[in-house]
Amino acid sequence: MKHSIFNYISQEVNGPTLLFNTAKETLVELDQKTLDQYERNDLDSDTQAAMADLGFLVADDVDELASLEFKWKNNFTSSKKLELTVMVTDACNFRCPYCYQAHSTHNMGIEETNRLCRYLMKSIDNGVEVINIHWFGGEPLLNTAPIFYIEHFLKEKGIKGSSNVTTNGYLLTEELLHRFREETRIHAFQITLDGTENLHNKTRRHVSGEPTYKRICSNIVSATQNNFFVIIRLNMTKENQNLDAFLAEINALGLPRSRYFIHITNAHEFTNSEKLSNFYFNTAEEYSIAYDRAQDSFTKAHYKFPRNVTRTAGCSFESGNTFLVGTDLKLYFCSSCECTDEFEQGYIDESGQIHLNEHYRNRINASPFADDECRNCVVLPLCMGGCTYCRLRQKKFCIPEKYFLDKYIHKLYTEALSQKEAAHS
């Protein structure tokens, strides 16, 4: 057997020697004797078998890179599941500086709603077994009629799957929560809080200019009390990168830990974003420094720290049967791309038939495995090339863990020890 190409040894002065496999996300501590035997490829049979089970050793004839690429390509052949992010409007009641949308007012009307229903039925007829809908905007709660219509359709037909809503949370009233619970398959909301109250109110700006933080927090509490799950998203900038006070404010809301988690992402500067000085991170490496500190803040606040996870593609949109559906039923690359011709993937016609174009074919051929830097990177299984939107714009944005891999591995080790101690206490 041979060493996996995705093994990484992390050694700190006076600290443990850790062996980490990025493909399996397995981690072991090695004493000096086992490390020496590992490096000589001279492990005893029992240890060798255990190391093989954990992915640290692979058969001599295994091509791990080819297997990983096969997994990536296979992502586009799925025909049993349909994942749609549906824009019901591009209007918004907020004006956030980093937003990529132009916010011209286009709403999905009854004709487009019926056309989308016809497409969903054709998909079922063609073998799709599960349909997941991610309701999106603009601000989707400004145009809920298509949501309730299609959700009623899905429930009436008994179609498997679930739905969620990405919303700024400002309009998430008790009445809406009740209707969502009783009339739809919606089980979760993604709602952004951009730091502490003062920082949030600077970026999550209502069109009226009034502050939004307290109302959104109140609505998040209501959502969890109504048994919805909430993903609290923070779009990290240079201004809100210190998270200790933010996490304390979230903890003070008293939300059950089982009803939410906090997702950290980089507030990229898009074509339509406001051009602000000393606001956006200029490089992936600069962002990684802030992300490293953010992980430490999560640990101090007794949260599981955020991390990239092993995946089959760099983005959930890198899959077959996965699209952003515009208000006019044109199909676009992802929920972070501008709805322009450059990113249009096709459209759904009046009969509910899908038509894909050359941009779609270019998308599924935009393989990270054609990039020598990616092919030779030990963290490739963790990111699978990262954001395809960035790659298509010639702005590769590597995952932050790449830049502090040793620290990341030791954080995993410390977390595992803490969990072990908690389990035995």
Side-chain angles (χ1 to χ4, degrees), residues 135-339:
W135 297 107
F136 199 71
E139 172 48 50
L141 301 189
L142 290 172
N143 185 30
T144 59
I147 298 176
F148 285 109
Y149 187 98
I150 293 173
E151 287 292 325
H152 176 76
F153 168 83
L154 293 168
K155 289 188 72 174
E156 186 180 56
K157 299 293 183 182
I159 296 172
K160 295 178 182 177
S162 63
S163 304
N164 57 57
V165 184
T166 296
T167 170
N168 57 42
Y170 193 79
L171 300 173
L172 196 58
T173 62
E174 284 284 349
E175 179 186 0
L176 262 183
L177 287 168
H178 176 78
R179 288 194 65 194
F180 283 144
R181 187 179 65 242
E182 298 300 320
E183 301 177 35
T184 77
R185 309 181 312 163
I186 293 167
H187 72 285
F189 302 97
Q190 181 175 145
I191 300 173
T192 294
L193 289 174
D194 269 351
T196 58
E197 183 173 358
N198 289 337
L199 289 168
H200 170 95
N201 286 332
K202 284 180 65 177
T203 58
R204 303 297 290 180
R205 305 186 302 234
H206 194 270
V207 290
S208 68
E210 65 185 29
T212 63
Y213 182 83
K214 287 183 178 177
R215 180 164 167 172
I216 294 170
C217 285
S218 176
N219 292 344
I220 289 174
V221 171
S222 294
T224 60
Q225 289 174 342
N226 280 275
N227 294 320
F228 290 98
F229 190 84
V230 178
I231 302 165
I232 298 174
R233 175 184 174 120
L234 183 138
N235 298 302
M236 190 182 292
T237 69
K238 290 182 179 180
E239 292 188 350
N240 66 4
Q241 61 182 294
N242 298 315
L243 299 188
D244 290 351
F246 166 70
L247 293 173
E249 287 190 10
I250 296 299
N251 194 51
L253 294 177
L255 307 173
R257 288 286 178 102
S258 62
R259 303 308 308 166
Y260 77 101
F261 75 82
I262 304 170
H263 172 63
I264 306 296
T265 190
N266 181 24
H268 287 283
E269 182 179 4
F270 297 96
T271 303
N272 290 325
S273 301
E274 292 181 25
K275 310 308 174 190
L276 301 173
S277 176
N278 202 34
F279 183 76
Y280 305 101
F281 296 104
N282 296 313
T283 64
E285 190 165 6
E286 185 180 37
Y287 172 63
S288 76
I289 296 170
Y291 194 83
D292 175 22
R293 288 198 298 263
Q295 288 183 334
D296 292 339
S297 292
F298 271 73
T299 299
K300 283 190 294 182
H302 305 291
Y303 288 94
K304 185 175 182 178
F305 66 83
R307 72 210 58 191
N308 241 58
V309 295
T310 304
R311 55 184 68 186
T312 55
C315 169
S316 59
F317 280 90
E318 270 187 28
S319 301
N321 284 351
T322 303
F323 300 99
L324 172 70
V325 183
T327 57
D328 56 359
L329 269 64
K330 289 182 178 179
L331 306 174
Y332 295 96
F333 178 74
C334 73
S335 57
S336 291
C337 75
E338 298 89 342
C339 290

Side-chain angles (χ1 to χ4, degrees), residues 12 22 36 44 112 133 222 237 242-243 253 321-322 336 379 392 405 421:
E12 288 188 352
T22 59
D36 292 342
D44 63 70
E112 293 84 8
I133 305 284
S222 294
T237 69
N242 298 315
L243 299 188
L253 294 177
N321 284 351
T322 303
S336 291
V379 302
L392 292 172
L405 188 55
E421 291 171 3

Side-chain angles (χ1 to χ4, degrees), residues 342-356:
E342 180 183 2
F343 293 104
E344 185 185 333
Q345 308 285 291
Y347 65 96
I348 298 170
D349 69 19
E350 288 75 7
S351 71
Q353 183 66 42
I354 190 172
H355 300 267
L356 301 175

